[in-house]
Amino acid sequence: MHKYAMNSAPDFMPVERLRAIQNEKFIKVFRRTYENVEWYRNLLAKHKVDPNDIRSIADISKLPFIVKTDLRDTYPDGMRAAPMEKIVRFHASSGTTGKPIVVPYAQEDLDVWSECVARCLTMFGLDETDVLQVGYGYGLFTGGLGLHDGGQRRGCAIIPAGGGNTTRHLMLIKDLKATAIACTPSYFLHIIDQAQKTGYDWKETKLRVGIFGAEPWTDGMRQFIEQETGIVAHDIYGLTEISGPGVGGDCSHHAGIHIFEDHFYPEIIDPDTLQPLPDGETGELVFTTLDKVGMPVIRYRTRDITRLIPERCACGRTIRRIGRISHRSDDMMIVRGVNVFPSQIESVLTSIDPGLINYQIYLDSNESGLATIEVKLEGTPEMYAAFAEDASRREGLARLVTSKLRDTIGIGFKTTIVDQNAIPRSEGKMKRIVDNRKKD
């Protein structure tokens, strides 16, 4: 048996033991951050927080939040809490504007990260007999190396395929007998598209598990992927600022994402009042890293809107789950005075036709400067086959979506069902919102 075959044991520890571990680690990470990060000492002074008042994790609500702009403003290493001789790697955010968020990793951080990814893989049913093909990009982006190291720790054989070169991906899946693949869900849709064009037979492969993350994806997309390929699709969750992929994942029951609470302490807050919310209520997810050495973050606002699920999962894990990320608090679009969230659009699409598996939102301004919004949709191959038989179906479906969106959100939309594969696939994070509005 591989030495890490029992890596999921912490997932099932008694809750009282888990809370004691969280408390012990929190005090240590708080003290380490306060003593080693001048920026954090200044933050507490600004908020008039006496560090001596922080005696247990119950006092965490007394501490100020850290937000993404704080990490950018301290670029490149103003949040580093360890001396450079302890830093062994850097990763950075994939943001397209301003300075990137650079995260230094000590060896202890890489060990925790690979452990958590390995625990995810165990949750997904992988072990030392599996062959894992990594289709995330390698480099500053955390996806490739995160799944690579975690997969090796789990004992899997790794195919470091990286992003792109879809034809090679298909060849390697078949020839090297990959049993699992990790990539963005939108890129796997591209792999499926290429397979359909070339007559690729998924039944001739050993592939049985898909590990998808780095971008939002719908239940309709999951169902399509599973129907087309016969694999089981799992969600893996993470953030560059926290620890890349492996902060959590969904088990075989697909009833939320289990968070590895012994390393990442979750809170839910009201994004308007910033007050903590109890388990079960929807709000913004906040994380405190309990083990980070290179760059700890305490009460980091992720902007992800979700809830902590209070009920015990049927799988028996005692670590809590978060619900599917419905939207981000900073993804809200204000269109003609109306608050619009991508999640609202996604829920409308799901309710109308599960064959609508992909979408992109375009914001623009008309000649009068009034904001306009267009939703571009893409469906399954079966949907396009139906359109070919009866072109009126396409127009009728677009009208139905437009009507439902207007009724649900309260403003007019333009809806376009684009040709198959017209929405770009992404190897990193897919851009759901394209804002072309005129800026003052």
Side-chain angles (χ1 to χ4, degrees), residues 92 103 280 307:
V103 181
R307 67 187 182 98

Side-chain angles (χ1 to χ4, degrees), residues 101-235:
I101 292 170
V102 176
V103 181
Y105 284 74
Q107 185 58 52
E108 296 94 324
D109 303 329
L110 295 181
D111 291 343
V112 168
W113 187 9
S114 64
E115 173 205 324
C116 290
V117 173
R119 284 163 69 178
C120 276
L121 299 184
T122 295
M123 199 183 303
F124 305 155
L126 272 62
D127 60 25
E128 56 270 26
T129 65
D130 281 291
V131 178
L132 172 61
Q133 185 157 316
V134 179
Y136 287 112
Y138 282 68
L140 288 174
F141 176 62
T142 56
L145 286 169
L147 266 297
H148 185 119
D149 290 349
Q152 282 191 328
R153 183 155 183 175
R154 186 63 190 93
C156 302
I158 305 299
I159 305 172
N165 200 335
T166 307
T167 300
R168 183 180 63 183
H169 267 290
L170 288 167
M171 178 187 74
L172 293 174
I173 289 171
K174 185 174 289 186
D175 294 348
L176 298 186
K177 298 179 173 56
T179 58
I181 186 168
C183 61
T184 65
S186 63
Y187 183 64
F188 195 69
L189 288 182
H190 183 60
I191 292 176
I192 291 175
D193 293 338
Q194 184 65 23
Q196 290 171 339
K197 292 176 183 176
T198 58
Y200 193 85
D201 188 353
W202 292 101
K203 293 179 181 178
E204 295 179 356
T205 76
K206 299 291 185 181
L207 200 67
R208 61 185 181 82
V209 174
I211 303 163
F212 306 119
E215 66 187 21
W217 53 304
T218 66
D219 283 328
M221 195 181 293
R222 181 202 293 273
Q223 292 166 11
F224 173 72
I225 287 171
E226 292 183 339
Q227 290 169 1
E228 287 295 309
T229 64
I231 69 173
V232 177
H234 285 276
D235 203 344

Side-chain angles (χ1 to χ4, degrees), residues 381-396:
E382 291 78 11
M383 182 174 285
Y384 290 101
F387 293 160
E389 294 179 3
D390 183 357
S392 65
R393 290 187 180 185
R394 187 173 192 155
E395 184 180 342

Side-chain angles (χ1 to χ4, degrees), residues 207-279:
L207 200 67
R208 61 185 181 82
V209 174
I211 303 163
F212 306 119
E215 66 187 21
W217 53 304
T218 66
D219 283 328
M221 195 181 293
R222 181 202 293 273
Q223 292 166 11
F224 173 72
I225 287 171
E226 292 183 339
Q227 290 169 1
E228 287 295 309
T229 64
I231 69 173
V232 177
H234 285 276
D235 203 344
I236 192 166
Y237 177 76
L239 307 88
T240 298
E241 305 91 320
I242 302 299
S243 189
V247 174
D250 68 338
C251 68
S252 59
H253 295 276
H254 303 299
I257 297 170
H258 290 275
I259 299 297
F260 298 123
E261 292 188 78
D262 49 323
H263 296 300
F264 314 104
Y265 183 75
E267 299 176 81
I268 299 292
I269 65 167
D270 184 311
D272 297 320
T273 68
L274 304 185
Q275 294 303 305
L277 295 174
D279 287 5

Side-chain angles (χ1 to χ4, degrees), residues 3-16:
K3 67 178 181 178
Y4 209 67
M6 294 301 294
N7 61 46
S8 63
D11 300 0
F12 299 90
M13 73 172 69
V15 173
E16 296 77 13

Side-chain angles (χ1 to χ4, degrees), residues 343-364:
S343 60
Q344 294 173 300
I345 294 172
E346 181 180 315
S347 65
V348 169
L349 302 181
T350 302
S351 69
I352 292 174
D353 193 325
L356 294 169
I357 59 171
N358 210 1
Y359 69 95
Q360 230 172 6
I361 303 164
Y362 285 77
L363 301 174
D364 214 327

